[in-house]
Amino acid sequence: MALLALPFILGDGYYLSVMNFIAFYAIVAIGLCLLTGYGGQLSMSHAAFFGIGAYTSAILSTRFGLNPLISIFIAQIVSATAALSIGSVVLRLKGHYLAIATLSFTIIVEILIIETAWLTGGLQGLSLIPYISFGDFIIDSDWRLYFIVWPITMLIMLFSLNLVDSRMGRIFRATKESEDIVRLFGANVKIYKIKLFVLSSVFASLSGSFYAHFVNFISPTAGSLMFAIDIIMVLAFGGFTILWGALLGAASLTFLNEYLTVFADFKRTIYGLSLILIMLFCPNGLLEGLKDSLSRLISVKNAGGD
Amino acid sequence: MIIKIKDLDVFYKNIHALKKVSVSIENGKIIGLVGGNGAGKSTMIKSITGLVPIKNGKIFFNDRDITRLDSASIARLGISTVPEGRRLFAPMTVQDNMNLGAYLRFKNEKKKDIEKDIKKIFELFPRLMERKNQTAGTLSGGEQQMLAIARALMAKPKAILMDEPSTGLAPLIAKEIFKVIKSLKNRGYTILLIEQSARMALKISDYAYVLESGKIVLKGKASDLLKDESVQKAYLGV
């Protein structure tokens, strides 16, 4: 409800645009939260899928003149297929090995985007990407986009919250604890991991597609390593195992991003330092850490009262 | 004979962990498998459940060869495990852990029936009922072991493999666990009980095997083994 009222308060302008960027981040982060926080699969390939989603849809609509709604849809199929083929290979790996394999995938995608300039525009990027439109109704303002992208974010959030509590979600959470034990209860862990990987990658890709059609311009940074780290930052702020935290994390990072622009290149240094500090003191994420210390404080108080 | 293990050879790289081991598990009985550290007890369970590759020999479940099946398929046939060290899903609630035990049943059975079963199992473990919404990690050692057993029961197993259920528990609590295991047998469950504390295991088992550095060195009725001099010397500390 508050989200519904927000645009009327903020008006069509800078802050509404920031809100939309929060949604782009949040959708990717929700996907990664499911995969890493709940499923225990440490993946760095979400930036790549964001890039695939953005570029596929952008190329199809600019170079082949497809309606963005159709190109977005096709982009998700492309991403899902890519995720399926990558996932079924790399998900045999665990922990850091999986992180390295998915990281390599991100690097490969980034290089491919840069090197296939005839298709992707290379380092110059791809511009003049058409807006999403429903007939004559063109999504060309922050105001209009807000009412598309936030309901989708909320739907994805609701879907994910339900998923986590379902029979499938229990398997994800248990897989994080021990794959072998989950197998002992008859679940085919491999297929579950692939399903989760595909789902979570498509979330990232969907966000990428929307981003491309709203900003009208994409460059290789969309699928880059830095973006992969940004998403990890979102989870580091919001907590790896709190889905709502993905929203808060996305908000904090986006605002931080805006306010830290004065530091220019030092921004990355500040990010790096804060990531190290968060990992050191609250390995499950800042929000989770705060929640823990709060509950500890309360229990200490209660114990003192006895 | 519900599970029949014939001439099993298992290697860890070049360590011969099980040497031509044959074990039969009869329906409705508790079969004990005792032995010291590194005798190959846990390897037995891991080979039945498909967690370690088997070099030679065969394992039959109700006359079906399951030697080369993967863990999930073996579980589907109705073999449930209480793993060593309990291996609960610590951040998940007691209820969720039990639901996971019933994972396969959620596909074909009504939720109501499964919930009914949870209630029945809670009657067996009233303390778990009180802690139903707590995470498994916050339970005491004894409660965790009970949850591990409860989780295995939720699968409606035809046979339960228990790997050292008394490890790390205070003697009194271990006793309680053994009482529960015995009561399970009276309810018709078939159990393979692997234990280091030989006395307690032999007391509740019907038939037992003694495993020593990967070989079965003795077998017989558990009551006879309790009286056997060599067993008394080596495992019962008499």
Side-chain angles (χ1 to χ4, degrees), chain B residues 131-187:
Chain B
R131 303 199 181 337
K132 162 168 107 165
N133 294 320
Q134 251 171 265
T135 56
T138 62
L139 301 181
S140 73
E143 288 163 350
Q144 288 194 4
Q145 191 60 58
M146 289 181 186
L147 178 54
I149 295 174
R151 182 177 65 177
L153 291 178
M154 283 305 295
K156 257 194 185 170
K158 298 196 178 85
I160 309 174
L161 315 176
M162 294 193 183
D163 198 349
E164 307 237 12
S166 79
T167 311
L169 298 182
L172 267 177
I173 308 218
K175 227 173 174 177
E176 213 175 307
I177 297 285
F178 281 110
K179 234 195 239 161
V180 167
I181 297 172
K182 203 171 172 194
S183 79
L184 290 180
K185 182 195 125 177
N186 296 337
R187 281 161 202 255

Side-chain angles (χ1 to χ4, degrees), chain A residues 251-272:
Chain A
S252 350
L253 192 78
T254 314
F255 277 111
L256 211 60
N257 226 337
E258 297 297 314
Y259 289 128
L260 290 183
T261 31
V262 284
F263 292 104
D265 286 345
F266 290 109
K267 203 164 78 176
R268 290 289 170 201
T269 324
I270 296 172
Y271 275 12

Side-chain angles (χ1 to χ4, degrees), chain A residues 20-29 44-58 75-76 79 82-83 105-106 109 113 149 200-215 217-228 230-231:
Chain A
N20 288 335
F21 279 96
I22 291 175
F24 292 140
Y25 267 124
I27 294 173
V28 187
M44 301 282 281
S45 59
H46 277 56
F49 286 105
F50 184 90
I52 293 175
Y55 270 96
T56 312
S57 192
Q76 305 327 306
S79 292
F105 178 66
T106 300
V109 169
I113 291 172
V149 93
S200 148
S201 303
V202 168
F203 283 176
S205 147
L206 190 68
S207 170
S209 302
F210 276 114
Y211 171 84
H213 286 288
F214 183 68
V215 181
F217 168 78
I218 43 170
S219 68
T221 44
S224 74
L225 211 56
M226 276 331 293
F227 185 70
D230 277 355
I231 297 302

Side-chain angles (χ1 to χ4, degrees), chain A residues 165 167 169-171 173-175 177-178 180-188 192, chain B residues 49 51 71-72 75-76 83 87 89 91-92 96 99-101 103-104 106-107 151:
Chain A
D165 268 330
R167 172 172 174 265
R170 272 202 298 273
I171 295 287
R173 285 181 288 152
T175 302
E177 295 305 304
S178 164
D180 275 349
I181 305 297
V182 177
R183 279 197 198 100
L184 289 183
F185 289 100
N188 193 334
Y192 276 107
Chain B
T49 52
L51 290 177
S71 306
R76 265 177 227 133
R87 307 292 299 274
F89 304 114
M92 298 169 69
D96 271 350
N99 281 337
L100 258 161
Y103 162 78
L104 288 169
F106 274 97
K107 220 179 244 170
R151 182 177 65 177

Side-chain angles (χ1 to χ4, degrees), chain A residues 47-300:
Chain A
F49 286 105
F50 184 90
I52 293 175
Y55 270 96
T56 312
S57 192
I59 290 167
L60 287 175
S61 55
T62 43
R63 304 211 189 255
F64 300 95
L66 279 182
N67 182 317
L69 285 176
I70 297 168
S71 68
I72 289 176
F73 182 71
I74 296 175
Q76 305 327 306
I77 295 174
V78 171
S79 292
T81 317
L84 185 68
S85 32
I86 298 298
S88 46
V89 179
V90 299
L91 286 172
R92 288 161 205 257
L93 303 169
K94 280 179 198 150
H96 302 107
Y97 300 103
L98 176 64
I100 290 169
T102 46
L103 187 70
S104 321
F105 178 66
T106 300
I107 295 172
I108 291 171
V109 169
E110 192 180 353
I111 292 173
L112 272 179
I113 291 172
I114 294 171
E115 292 303 317
T116 52
W118 53 274
L119 190 67
T120 62
L123 281 170
Q124 320 226 298
L126 203 59
S127 48
L128 298 172
I129 302 166
Y131 284 114
I132 299 169
S133 57
F134 302 93
D136 288 335
F137 189 74
I138 301 168
I139 311 302
D140 56 357
S141 68
D142 285 312
W143 180 270
R144 287 179 179 175
L145 183 74
Y146 183 94
F147 284 102
I148 298 216
V149 93
W150 273 97
I152 288 178
T153 311
M154 285 300 130
L155 273 179
I156 287 178
M157 178 63 93
L158 275 179
F159 172 83
S160 305
L161 285 169
N162 273 314
L163 181 75
V164 167
D165 268 330
S166 69
R167 172 172 174 265
M168 200 171 179
R170 272 202 298 273
I171 295 287
F172 294 154
R173 285 181 288 152
T175 302
K176 187 182 178 188
E177 295 305 304
S178 164
E179 275 182 40
D180 275 349
I181 305 297
V182 177
R183 279 197 198 100
L184 289 183
F185 289 100
N188 193 334
V189 180
K190 206 167 89 192
I191 289 178
Y192 276 107
K193 282 204 289 189
I194 294 174
K195 276 184 189 167
L196 183 60
F197 186 76
V198 171
L199 179 78
S200 148
S201 303
V202 168
F203 283 176
S205 147
L206 190 68
S207 170
S209 302
F210 276 114
Y211 171 84
H213 286 288
F214 183 68
V215 181
N216 312 114
F217 168 78
I218 43 170
S219 68
T221 44
S224 74
L225 211 56
M226 276 331 293
F227 185 70
I229 291 167
D230 277 355
I231 297 302
I232 305 257
M233 281 292 289
V234 169
L235 289 191
F237 277 119
F240 286 93
T241 52
I242 312 174
L243 274 169
W244 284 106
L247 282 188
L248 289 177
S252 350
L253 192 78
T254 314
F255 277 111
L256 211 60
N257 226 337
E258 297 297 314
Y259 289 128
L260 290 183
T261 31
V262 284
F263 292 104
D265 286 345
F266 290 109
K267 203 164 78 176
R268 290 289 170 201
T269 324
I270 296 172
Y271 275 12
L273 275 176
S274 40
L275 190 58
I276 291 172
L277 285 175
I278 292 172
M279 288 296 118
L280 218 52
F281 294 108
C282 340
N284 284 324
L286 194 57
L287 193 63
E288 199 120 316
L290 290 177
K291 212 175 81 181
D292 280 353
S293 25
L294 201 68
S295 61
R296 218 173 299 143
L297 211 68
I298 290 167
S299 65
V300 165

